[in-house]
Amino acid sequence: MEYKPITKPAIEQFAVEPNLGEYDGARQSITWEQIRSELDGHPGGGLNIAYECLDRHLKTNRRDKVAMIWEGKDGEQETYTFEQFTKEANRVANGLRALGVEKGDRVFMFIDRVPECYFTAFGTLKLGAVIGPLFCAFGPDAVKDRLEDSAAKVLVTSPALWEKIKEIRGDLPALKTVVLVTRREEAKPAAGEVLWDDVIAGQSDEFETVNTDPEDYSVMHYTSGTTGKPKGAAHVHNAIIGHYATGKYVLDLHEEDIYWCTADPGWVTGTSYGMFAPWSNGVTSLIHEGGFSANAWYGLIAKYKVTVWYTAPTAIRMLMKAGEAAAKKHDLSSLRYTMSVGEPLNPEAVVWGERAIGLPFHDNWWQTETGAIMIANYASMEIRPGSMGRPFPGIEPAIVDDEGNEVAPGEEGDLAVRPGWPSMFRTYWNREELYDSCFRNGWYITGDRARMDEDGYFWFIGRADDVINTAGHLVGPFEVESALLEHEAVAEAGVIGKPDPVAMEVVKAFVALKDGYEESEELRRELRQFAIGKLGKAVAPREIEFLPGMPKTRSGKIMRRLLKARELGLPEGDTSTLED
Ligand code: PRX
């Protein structure tokens, strides 16, 4: 089926940036200097994300404006103005300082979407320390790898989540303190543990945000590669320029908006666009702790009169499954702009949005390493369903070949971006050589395959590597294979992404058993539980299939590509390196 471009009534989004309003390929219509001048900057001359998101609004009439509307999983509701939010973050900053946290230290968060998660993030940033958000559906091994690599000093979590992983404590000598948020459960702190209430008790709600340099580290997100353990993409305070700019021009945030980003802070969308973009723009943001249900989600939009909504393809496909009628039962007339990110957005989903909620979904593209949106279907632009859109001003993406030379429009190649934008990651923690290997001929190579059409719209083709994208979350096959190999019955494991109509891909493991073990339904279940116990549901394989042995290269490397081709019934491609 052919999808026609969607043109919408002209809006004034880029009234001050004429080059984008009528896009003509010019990319410099907004300069980073211009954007930077709209931020306050730290009075001491530096730049600090928390200062731009919180402190600076207290000097304006946003002081009493609601920054965060929080709805808990049981329907509880709390709101925090910019001033109240700042005071909470200040208490945390003072409390963390009392625990010995210093500038540059890593404070990790393994906590649900409760207000304390957000207070911790900003308290830590105010202190000049670095936040490391983790997804709550990780298991002990997944958390351990990340805390170990980053040498995190403090972990903020809840008693229930800590219970799930606390066996790892002995392996983490750098971890000095575990802070337990007892919002939902009681806890008796053991040695090295302290209750949240005790951390902030008696702390002043005044705190002078540390005058960080724009190049000081701010946020770390672990992301999966094709080989090796997850790597920590490290960002700096300067990134706020990108968050603010894309919040204004891609999310199209305006003063009166009620904005809802459905992503969890454990993934980069939940920090860059769940926290930094809305709050640096002084906009009210809805945080929903609960999980997905079509009815609950539509209900939230109607209840809080959400105007700008940023979500993901898997969620949209689940809404499509629930049917148009489910949307029509709610008053969604407050919505004026809806976007999607994280996976390819089916053209059908774009058009479905128009039918069911009266608005098309605007797709955009970026990744953990880029820190902020690079390519987008802007509010002011014609949408080409199936395309990720066009570059943000000041961003120069291209499609390049193996030598790093740009290819002609329409040709497939590696999606690359010219380095130098403010929110670009500065390194992979402890893995400088891996960071260096991401560059070719002056381009940052993203790991995605794509093409660009004659009009400068980019179209996603697939990953260049074996990284799995399940429901918008990247999973590294090596991490899953390593966990399975720790089971006594497993001789070899090969892990692939199996296409799935809703989640795009699900993690599928092929397992060869050691001599003396028989394949059985029971063993399959046991292996799955074993992997969940180690990695958590977000990473563990959904499916396991037994094979007598793995296809391997002559040098002994498991050929995941071949496992995938066989799974899909596709031609096996070049097998000349296959072991005899
Ligand atoms: O493969 C691309 C896919 O998700 C990857 C980035 O994932 P992550 O680092 O977890 O960052 C999440 C924040 C967006 C990309 O390399 N991806 C992201 N957006 C799109 C996409 N694939 C297709 N279309 C998109 N719009």
Side-chain angles (χ1 to χ4, degrees):
M1 165 166 181
E2 204 181 313
Y3 292 89
K4 291 201 188 67
I6 300 173
T7 42
K8 293 165 284 104
I11 66 163
E12 291 178 14
Q13 190 194 8
F14 287 106
V16 290
E17 281 78 25
N19 286 343
L20 258 182
E22 294 175 359
Y23 190 90
D24 61 1
R27 290 168 174 154
Q28 299 303 329
S29 53
I30 313 172
T31 64
W32 295 123
E33 287 69 31
Q34 250 173 288
I35 294 291
R36 169 69 180 79
S37 72
E38 290 180 25
L39 295 171
D40 279 17
H42 191 284
L47 190 65
N48 183 294
I49 292 180
Y51 189 91
E52 299 306 326
C53 290
L54 298 178
D55 304 56
R56 77 179 184 125
H57 302 309
L58 305 196
K59 297 179 275 181
T60 72
N61 55 10
R62 287 180 184 144
R63 187 184 186 101
D64 297 321
K65 178 178 175 178
V66 172
M68 172 163 67
I69 305 173
W70 177 75
E71 180 159 320
K73 61 176 186 231
D74 301 323
E76 321 90 295
Q77 193 185 314
E78 288 171 19
T79 57
Y80 297 88
T81 63
F82 280 98
E83 182 178 30
Q84 290 166 331
F85 196 151
T86 307
K87 287 184 167 176
E88 296 292 344
N90 286 348
R91 281 195 194 97
V92 177
N94 284 315
L96 289 174
R97 186 172 268 168
L99 288 178
V101 176
E102 294 171 6
K103 187 173 172 217
D105 285 342
R106 273 77 61 209
V107 173
F108 270 58
M109 313 186 315
F110 185 57
I111 178 106
D112 306 287
R113 291 185 295 275
V114 290
E116 290 84 350
C117 165
Y118 300 84
F119 303 152
T120 301
F122 285 93
T124 302
L125 291 167
K126 277 177 155 267
L127 199 50
V130 180
I131 56 169
L134 298 172
F135 192 44
C136 295
F138 284 156
D141 283 19
V143 174
K144 190 188 93 177
D145 286 343
R146 291 156 171 86
L147 295 181
E148 198 171 30
D149 183 61
S150 61
K153 196 172 199 176
V154 171
L155 178 70
V156 177
T157 183
S158 69
L161 287 166
W162 180 230
E163 194 55 42
K164 186 168 88 164
I165 59 160
K166 71 181 189 195
E167 64 192 63
I168 66 178
R169 180 73 193 251
D171 298 324
L172 302 168
L175 183 62
K176 294 283 177 282
T177 313
V178 174
V179 179
L180 298 171
V181 175
T182 50
R183 173 179 276 273
R184 302 224 176 273
E185 325 92 50
E186 308 260 295
K188 254 216 201 115
E193 298 170 11
V194 47
L195 299 183
W196 168 272
D197 291 343
D198 293 335
V199 172
I200 57 166
Q203 295 296 350
S204 160
D205 60 13
E206 302 273 319
F207 183 89
E208 201 175 307
T209 296
V210 169
N211 179 26
T212 42
D213 185 271
E215 287 301 308
D216 283 339
Y217 289 127
S218 55
V219 182
M220 279 177 79
H221 273 287
Y222 277 81
T223 183
S224 295
T226 201
T227 54
K229 297 279 181 162
K231 51 223 178 171
H235 291 277
V236 295
H237 283 273
N238 206 40
I240 193 65
I241 298 174
H243 304 140
Y244 169 78
T246 50
K248 184 170 173 184
Y249 295 113
V250 182
L251 309 184
D252 192 34
L253 294 174
H254 287 71
E255 192 66 52
E256 61 289 356
D257 277 320
I258 306 287
Y259 166 75
W260 182 27
C261 169
T262 60
D264 187 272
W267 307 96
V268 71
T269 309
T271 51
S272 291
Y273 294 99
M275 304 187 195
F276 306 142
W279 289 325
S280 61
N281 277 279
V283 163
T284 304
S285 185
L286 169 66
I287 306 291
H288 175 230
E289 184 194 5
F292 175 86
S293 112
N295 204 38
W297 277 30
Y298 290 135
L300 283 166
I301 292 171
K303 179 169 169 190
Y304 294 106
K305 302 201 174 357
V306 172
T307 56
V308 177
W309 189 31
Y310 197 17
T311 190
T314 293
I316 297 170
R317 289 189 289 265
M318 292 197 289
L319 292 174
M320 289 167 78
K321 262 180 110 173
E324 269 170 62
K328 302 275 191 241
K329 270 196 252 155
H330 299 264
D331 177 6
L332 306 178
S333 59
S334 59
L335 281 176
R336 69 169 180 82
Y337 188 39
T338 49
M339 288 155 295
S340 161
V341 76
E343 317 149 52
L345 180 66
N346 330 45
E348 177 52 28
V350 177
V351 180
W352 179 85
E354 281 206 303
R355 280 203 311 271
I357 61 171
L359 295 167
F361 287 99
H362 294 244
D363 190 16
N364 50 64
W365 178 93
W366 58 294
Q367 52 177 199
T368 304
E369 287 84 346
T370 72
I373 296 166
M374 301 278 105
I375 296 174
N377 287 279
Y378 302 94
S380 56
M381 246 171 53
E382 169 187 296
I383 297 181
R384 300 209 174 158
S387 162
M388 309 187 287
R390 289 195 283 198
F392 190 74
I395 300 295
E396 192 188 342
I399 305 296
V400 302
D401 63 17
D402 292 347
E403 274 73 55
N405 296 316
E406 288 184 59
V407 302
E411 272 182 41
E412 175 179 340
D414 289 319
L415 175 58
V417 189
R418 185 75 75 195
W421 67 95
S423 64
M424 180 176 170
F425 73 133
R426 296 299 195 263
T427 193
Y428 289 127
W429 205 255
N430 298 329
R431 310 274 290 276
E432 198 63 31
E433 72 304 334
L434 194 65
Y435 175 79
D436 292 341
S437 72
C438 295
F439 299 89
R440 188 189 305 156
N441 193 24
W443 293 100
Y444 161 65
I445 307 294
T446 66
D448 285 349
R449 304 279 294 167
R451 65 185 170 79
M452 185 187 79
D453 66 21
E454 296 279 355
D455 302 319
Y457 279 78
F458 284 77
W459 301 74
F460 183 81
I461 293 174
R463 291 285 309 184
D465 54 23
D466 294 334
V467 172
I468 299 159
N469 189 333
T470 178
H473 304 149
L474 299 190
V475 173
F478 178 81
E479 197 180 359
V480 184
E481 290 161 1
S482 307
L484 285 168
L485 284 174
E486 285 179 37
H487 190 279
E488 55 182 14
V490 176
E492 289 173 330
V495 167
I496 63 160
K498 176 183 167 180
D500 182 83
V502 175
M504 184 171 142
E505 292 186 316
V506 292
V507 178
K508 171 159 187 177
F510 295 90
V511 165
L513 296 175
K514 284 186 188 150
D515 286 346
Y517 288 90
E518 294 277 325
E519 47 183 86
S520 68
E521 203 41 51
E522 203 185 331
L523 183 55
R524 195 202 312 273
R525 264 200 303 274
E526 184 183 319
L527 288 178
R528 186 147 185 269
Q529 281 315 316
F530 180 79
I532 292 175
K534 286 190 154 301
L535 301 169
K537 281 201 167 133
V539 184
R542 174 98 65 90
E543 267 183 47
I544 295 180
E545 183 176 330
F546 294 114
L547 288 180
M550 296 291 138
K552 284 195 284 289
T553 60
R554 281 188 210 108
S555 57
K557 237 176 105 202
I558 292 173
M559 292 179 84
R560 300 188 188 113
R561 179 177 58 78
L562 204 61
L563 286 171
K564 188 154 180 170
R566 287 177 183 170
E567 171 73 29
L568 302 181
L570 294 173
E572 298 196 354
D574 179 9
T575 53
S576 59
T577 58
L578 191 65
E579 181 184 62
D580 298 327

